[in-house]
């Protein structure tokens, strides 16, 4: 990730959650705090910029969407919203199950503008929450938290790490993280931006630092997302846009080989949701245009 572009994708995903919470019904994921992380000027900027993506994603539709609000709704529903909303919901659904099974720590890897620790203060207070992120993104988030006037919850810790340069084990060791406690790791919207070697290194680090029975959720792209003749329009646009903003997508995993890949790293694949599974679970009861994103999968694994 280039320093001057740090965290752009984290801002765009948070903006999609803010938009959804303030414009849509029913809600796939209710991030009622995300809106407060943006200034009024940024609202104007993101509304205009995201609406303008219709030119890139579906140039043939631009003439029909001359109204900015309509173009913005189209881009949110067809492009920016579905992955971030459903994976955030999946992560917290899995977390709730894990807490019922005794998890005491929640480590959010590549946390971006995640608001869990502030949004679910009461329910989440029994958990020690750690936000791990690229130092530049994390510093930018902390400035936004201060600007929003949010008090830092006592159970929240920040751990700055560049996964491409540093070992996650060392970073966790130097924090209040307790390697003896059952832990739930979420890693949402991050594997795409790392090489397979960096993903494997992080998974090995987590295995060394968590007791058996700890859990992890993550989302990943399948290899067809990187094949120009097979990738759908939304995923191709996502790859183009992230490349232009300095956070190129780098890796994919074969859904059929994932269990074996994880097994070799010390993880048991517990659940592996395809785009059609995600559609059925989180989008089937809607009458708008939010649908699961093709080539994007969600997985949950347990440390053996
Ligand atoms: C698309 S955002 C996802 C943020 C959040 N998890 C979400 O779902 O909204 C990608 C996140 O990965 C982080 N990231 C990307 N490359 C990284 C790296 N090399 N080291 C640490 N974090 C990284 C970014 O800082 C950002 O917070």
């Amino acid at each position: 990730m280039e320093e001057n572009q740090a965290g752009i994708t984290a801002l765009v995903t948070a903006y999609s959650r803010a938009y959804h919470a303030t414009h849509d019904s029913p809600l796939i994921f209710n991030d009622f705090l995300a809106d407060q992380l943006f200034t009024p000027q940024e609202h104007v900027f993101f509304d205009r910029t995201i609406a303008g993506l219709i030119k890139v994603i579906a140039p043939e539709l631009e003439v029909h969407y001359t109204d900015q609000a309509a173009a913005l709704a189209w881009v949110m529903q067809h492009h920016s919203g579905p992955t971030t909303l459903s994976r955030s919901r999946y992560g917290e659904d899995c977390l709730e199950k894990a807490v019922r099974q005794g998890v005491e720590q929640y480590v959010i890897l590549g946390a971006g503008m995640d608001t869990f620790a502030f949004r679910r203060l009461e329910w989440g207070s029994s958990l020690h929450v750690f936000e791990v992120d690229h130092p530049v993104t994390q510093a930018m988030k902390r400035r936004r938290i201060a600007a929003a006037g949010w008090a830092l919850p006592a159970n929240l810790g920040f751990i700055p790490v560049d996964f491409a340069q540093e070992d996650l084990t060392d970073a966790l060791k130097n924090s209040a993280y307790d390697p003896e406690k059952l832990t739930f790791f979420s890693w949402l919207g991050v594997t795409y931006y790392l090489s397979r070697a960096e993903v494997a290194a992080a998974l090995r680090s987590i295995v060394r630092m968590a007791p058996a029975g700890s859990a992890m959720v993550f989302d990943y792209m399948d290899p067809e997302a990187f094949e120009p003749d097979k990738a759908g329009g939304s995923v191709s646009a996502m790859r183009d846009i992230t490349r232009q903003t300095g956070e190129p997508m780098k890796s994919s995993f074969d859904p059929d080989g994932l269990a074996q890949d994880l097994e070799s790293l010390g993880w048991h694949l517990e659940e592996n949701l395809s785009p059609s599974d995600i559609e059925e679970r989180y989008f089937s009861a809607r009458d708008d245009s939010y649908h699961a994103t093709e080539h994007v999968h969600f997985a949950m694994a347990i440390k053996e």
Side-chain angles (χ1 to χ4, degrees):
M1 185 162 65
E2 289 171 22
E3 295 282 295
N4 62 347
Q5 297 290 348
I8 295 276
T9 57
L11 286 176
V12 173
T13 52
Y15 201 74
S16 304
R17 293 191 292 268
Y19 176 91
H20 182 61
T22 50
H23 289 75
D24 298 321
S25 176
L27 293 178
I28 298 160
F29 183 72
N30 187 5
D31 191 345
F32 55 88
L33 287 181
D35 204 47
Q36 296 176 26
L37 290 169
F38 298 91
T39 63
Q41 293 81 356
E42 286 174 330
H43 275 280
V44 172
F45 171 79
F46 279 110
D47 282 353
R48 192 179 56 231
T49 307
I50 295 174
L53 290 178
I54 200 165
K55 288 193 215 83
V56 181
I57 304 162
E60 71 286 1
L61 293 183
E62 195 191 347
V63 289
H64 305 295
Y65 286 88
T66 47
D67 172 55
Q68 178 175 293
L72 181 61
W74 189 93
V75 176
M76 285 294 183
Q77 294 188 19
H78 290 86
H79 177 75
S80 303
T83 303
T84 182
L85 296 168
S86 52
R87 75 177 172 222
S88 293
R89 170 72 182 276
Y90 180 64
E92 291 190 18
D93 283 353
C94 291
L95 173 68
E96 287 187 17
K97 282 187 217 141
V99 167
R100 287 198 291 275
Q101 288 159 8
V103 152
E104 294 177 82
Q105 299 183 117
Y106 178 25
V107 178
I108 311 174
L109 299 166
M113 304 300 119
D114 192 293
T115 58
F116 173 85
F118 303 88
R119 182 170 31 81
R120 302 198 64 187
L121 262 185
E122 212 162 295
W123 181 81
S125 62
S126 63
L127 284 169
H128 201 144
V129 182
F130 297 91
E131 293 197 10
V132 180
D133 208 343
H134 192 284
V136 180
T137 312
Q138 193 163 85
M140 182 255 284
K141 183 199 194 157
R142 297 189 70 163
R143 286 194 296 276
R144 284 170 189 272
I145 290 170
W150 299 353
L152 289 180
N155 63 330
L156 173 63
F158 289 101
I159 308 179
V161 180
D162 180 350
F163 297 125
Q165 306 284 337
E166 298 161 68
D167 190 324
L168 181 59
T169 314
D170 295 338
L172 291 176
K173 270 188 193 150
N174 294 330
S175 74
Y177 173 83
D178 183 345
E180 306 295 324
K181 288 188 176 162
L182 267 189
T183 302
F184 183 87
F185 296 86
S186 85
W187 212 22
L188 301 175
V190 189
T191 64
Y192 322 139
Y193 304 103
L194 304 175
S195 67
R196 284 180 67 99
E198 288 159 1
V199 172
L203 292 176
R204 273 194 214 95
S205 293
I206 303 171
V207 154
R208 282 198 294 274
M209 288 297 287
S214 293
M216 169 183 63
V217 291
F218 62 99
D219 55 333
Y220 67 96
M221 294 266 186
D222 62 43
E224 291 190 352
F226 290 79
E227 293 176 34
D229 53 332
K230 293 196 178 144
S234 181
V235 160
S236 299
M238 215 187 287
R239 286 183 41 223
D240 288 346
I241 293 163
T242 54
R243 190 171 50 241
Q244 283 162 25
T245 55
E247 288 175 87
M249 292 183 161
K250 296 179 185 166
S251 67
S252 65
F253 292 86
D254 175 2
D256 297 328
L258 188 66
Q260 210 176 347
D261 288 344
L262 289 174
E263 209 72 43
S264 68
L265 297 164
W267 294 92
H268 169 71
L269 179 60
E270 184 83 0
E271 188 166 58
N272 194 8
L273 298 186
S274 67
S276 54
D277 298 327
I278 297 166
E279 176 73 23
E280 195 180 322
R281 193 175 290 193
Y282 295 121
F283 297 93
S284 57
R286 306 192 68 82
D287 59 8
D288 53 22
S289 298
Y290 280 103
H291 291 289
T293 309
E294 51 200 341
H295 311 297
V296 173
H297 303 243
F298 300 163
M300 184 177 72
I302 304 288
K303 189 200 157 172
E304 294 177 319

